[in-house]
């Protein structure tokens, strides 16, 4: 059987990385040797609860810095025709994927007369979602407070999640990883 090779053309690119909101910024950072690592933001989580100087400590990490994308909470929902209540429970990865896809299509100059979105495919590889854990914290706390995992201080657990966003009809599609590609499509 003869090997078949298919040419592939990259016609549009876009990205979001720590310290770079575009391909151009990312390339400039690479050329300049910019290190885009910073301490864990307090609004992300209290890193002190998980930090240890011992690399093998149980339920801890010795890592003190990470690469964080700025302003993942800022999303032009109406620009994408998405209701603000839906965005409230939408994983930031979904929001970023929508924005980066739009930017890549614009970079490819595909928004013009004759553009047929039905001829495009959406393929994504999304691995993890800590956001789903945050959005289900209220349900998990209810399970624990109800004795589902043994005897606990139920009031303290209930109080600990009072600021967690309640689950709604939009929670599952907003946090399931497979819905990321569906949002774009």
């Amino acid at each position: 059987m003869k090997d078949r090779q298919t040419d592939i053309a990259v016609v549009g690119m876009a990205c979001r990385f720590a310290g770079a909101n575009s391909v151009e910024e990312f390339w400039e950072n690479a050329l300049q040797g910019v290190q885009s690592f910073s301490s864990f933001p307090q609004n992300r989580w209290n890193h002190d609860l998980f930090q240890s100087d011992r690399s093998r400590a149980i339920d801890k990490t010795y890592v003190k810095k990470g690469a964080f994308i700025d302003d993942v909470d800022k999303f032009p929902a109406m620009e994408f025709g998405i209701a603000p209540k839906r965005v409230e429970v939408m994983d930031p990865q979904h929001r970023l994927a929508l924005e980066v896809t739009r930017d890549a299509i614009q970079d490819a100059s595909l928004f013009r007369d004759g553009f047929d979105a039905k001829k495009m495919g959406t393929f994504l590889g999304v691995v993890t979602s800590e956001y789903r854990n945050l959005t289900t914290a209220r349900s998990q706390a209810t399970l624990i407070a109800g004795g589902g995992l043994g005897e606990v201080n139920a009031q303290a657990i209930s109080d600990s999640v009072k600021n967690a966003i309640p689950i709604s009809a939009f929670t599952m599609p907003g946090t399931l990883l497979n819905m990321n590609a569906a949002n774009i499509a």
Side-chain angles (χ1 to χ4, degrees):
M1 176 180 230
K2 184 178 178 181
D3 288 338
R4 295 186 69 189
Q5 184 177 9
T6 304
D7 293 333
I8 296 174
V10 176
V11 295
M13 294 191 310
C15 69
R16 295 288 188 284
F17 289 106
N21 288 319
S22 68
V23 173
E24 294 78 18
E25 285 181 35
F26 177 75
W27 184 244
E28 188 60 33
N29 285 350
L31 290 174
Q32 300 298 323
V34 172
Q35 300 238 353
S36 298
F37 294 92
S38 62
S39 297
F40 289 80
Q42 283 299 313
N43 66 350
R44 180 93 181 223
W45 67 68
N46 181 355
H47 186 63
D48 294 338
L49 294 173
F50 302 101
Q51 210 284 318
S52 172
D53 291 332
R54 294 183 16 245
S55 63
R56 294 185 184 251
I58 306 276
D59 294 331
K60 303 283 185 180
T61 180
Y62 65 93
V63 176
K64 294 182 180 179
K65 293 188 177 206
F68 299 95
I69 298 173
D70 293 329
D71 300 325
V72 293
D73 58 332
K74 310 267 188 296
F75 179 74
M78 299 313 287
E79 193 175 306
F80 287 94
I82 299 173
K85 284 284 186 192
R86 182 173 171 210
V87 171
E88 189 177 56
V89 293
M90 189 181 213
D91 191 312
Q93 293 179 98
H94 291 230
R95 295 181 243 154
L96 287 167
L98 284 166
E99 288 183 304
V100 170
T101 300
R102 177 204 52 207
D103 294 352
I105 290 171
Q106 287 174 339
D107 185 59
S109 299
L110 292 178
F111 286 128
R112 62 177 186 264
D113 291 338
F115 172 66
D116 187 0
K118 293 176 186 169
K119 293 183 179 179
M120 292 182 67
T122 305
F123 306 91
L124 296 172
V126 184
V127 179
T128 187
S129 175
E130 71 184 55
Y131 192 77
R132 185 174 62 211
N133 296 339
L134 295 173
T135 58
T136 59
R138 186 184 293 268
S139 297
Q140 293 169 4
T142 301
L143 172 71
I144 294 167
L149 297 177
E151 192 174 317
V152 294
N153 180 338
Q155 188 59 49
I157 293 170
S158 295
D159 290 345
S160 72
V161 293
K162 66 182 175 201
N163 294 327
I165 298 168
I167 289 177
S168 73
F170 299 118
T171 301
M172 291 313 287
T175 59
L176 291 173
L177 299 178
N178 63 338
M179 289 303 293
N180 210 334
N183 285 329
I184 292 169

